[in-house]
Amino acid sequence: ADHVICLGRDMKRVIIKKVGEQYIDNISVIPNWVDENKILPIDSEQNPFIKENGFENNFIVLYAGNHGLFHDLETIIDAADILKDYKDILFLFIGEGGKKNKIVKMAEEKKLRNVRFFPYQPEDVVPFSLTSANVSLVTLAKGVEGLAVPSKFYSALATGRPVISIMDDESEVACVVQEYNCGFNIKQGESQKLAEAIKKIYKDRELEETLGKNARKCFEDNFTRKIIVSKYNELFKKII
């Protein structure tokens, strides 16, 4: 390869550690993106997904996407258990994957009534299911940082909702969340801290609005289709 493109700064560090500092100029960071015209902030009162599913009176903590082996979903279930007495806080999982059966079983064993599981939604529903969230969760399993950057992060930012990442502080997603003050980062397994972060946003709607606006601004400044395509174009012109 003449050039290697990776998805985050943590991934670049992993590659340089493998191949050596002499290749640093041959490695660029260009993140994934979301079409800025497809995912837009929508007021909850105007969201058909919320109305159709009877979520009008819920504060929704959303995990949407792959329920895969490289995602820490157990911490979310444990946090749901801690917050089970908050009747209007709903943990909503949308998607499928290798860990889904495990976390469904965990929720059943804990008899959690504040957790719901939905399958992947049709493409025309996704803009509404994603924006149903009051808080979006993005996770990685411990040790996967630098090997993967969850693309769901960019959709979460585009919705204009606060983001809580569950991963190491040095991971790409956690760094962006902290740099743009659009949410919180919690390390894997820290379910009590996750519950506290969710409660903090739940109890302070002004904070929720501020973090959400910061999330959308972060997206518009960095992760739109137009911005990322231009970065590829600039790189191609340099190396061809």
Side-chain angles (χ1 to χ4, degrees):
D2 291 300
H3 207 89
V4 173
I5 298 168
C6 49
L7 301 177
R9 290 162 284 184
D10 53 351
M11 192 175 289
K12 183 174 181 177
R13 289 194 296 267
V14 169
I15 296 172
I16 291 172
K17 188 176 180 180
K18 291 283 186 181
V19 303
E21 292 282 346
Q22 66 269 29
Y23 291 105
I24 193 168
D25 291 335
N26 300 91
I27 305 169
S28 294
V29 175
I30 301 181
N32 279 329
W33 49 269
V34 172
D35 189 331
E36 56 271 26
N37 298 311
K38 287 189 175 181
I39 307 294
L40 295 163
I42 301 172
D43 189 275
S44 297
E45 294 179 358
Q46 307 299 322
N47 191 316
F49 181 83
I50 290 177
K51 292 181 180 179
E52 290 168 9
N53 290 287
F55 294 152
E56 291 94 338
N57 298 317
N58 289 116
F59 181 92
I60 296 177
V61 181
L62 176 67
Y63 178 88
N66 182 24
H67 295 32
L69 303 179
F70 289 162
H71 297 281
D72 177 11
L73 305 179
E74 295 87 345
T75 298
I76 302 174
I77 297 295
D78 288 338
D81 190 28
I82 293 169
L83 295 173
K84 62 187 175 184
D85 292 333
Y86 289 81
K87 304 302 182 184
D88 55 341
I89 297 180
L90 174 66
F91 287 77
L92 178 60
F93 288 82
I94 300 177
E96 306 290 343
K99 267 192 182 177
K100 184 166 184 177
N101 289 340
K102 178 181 180 180
I103 60 170
V104 169
K105 187 176 180 181
M106 283 181 67
E108 290 173 348
E109 289 174 347
K110 293 177 183 292
K111 298 179 181 179
L112 299 179
R113 296 183 177 180
N114 59 341
V115 179
R116 295 278 302 275
F117 295 95
F118 279 33
Y120 281 121
Q121 298 298 293
E123 187 175 352
D124 61 331
V125 176
V126 169
F128 304 109
S129 61
L130 292 182
T131 52
S132 70
N134 293 92
V135 177
S136 292
L137 303 180
V138 181
T139 77
L140 281 176
K142 196 171 183 62
V144 180
E145 295 93 348
L147 305 179
V149 179
S151 57
K152 66 174 65 66
F153 177 52
Y154 309 106
S155 298
L157 292 174
T159 65
R161 302 294 193 268
V163 176
I164 299 178
S165 50
I166 304 171
M167 56 192 72
D168 187 83
D169 290 335
E170 298 300 316
S171 65
E172 178 66 22
V173 170
C175 289
V176 174
V177 167
Q178 293 170 74
E179 288 163 1
Y180 281 86
N181 188 31
C182 55
F184 302 101
N185 185 66
I186 308 297
K187 290 185 179 179
Q188 298 96 331
E190 294 185 338
S191 52
Q192 184 65 49
K193 289 186 178 180
L194 175 58
E196 290 169 3
I198 292 168
K199 279 198 297 182
K200 189 171 185 178
I201 299 172
Y202 166 77
K203 292 180 177 181
D204 189 342
R205 295 306 167 93
E206 187 175 329
L207 175 64
E208 178 186 346
E209 184 177 351
T210 297
L211 296 177
K213 286 181 177 178
N214 291 348
R216 180 67 191 189
K217 185 176 189 320
C218 174
F219 167 73
E220 291 178 348
D221 289 350
N222 298 278
F223 305 117
T224 67
R225 179 176 181 174
K226 183 177 181 179
I227 289 171
I228 302 305
V229 168
S230 69
K231 288 186 177 183
Y232 274 100
N233 185 47
E234 291 167 10
L235 177 61
F236 292 158
K237 286 191 291 186
K238 289 180 182 177
I239 65 176
I240 292 175

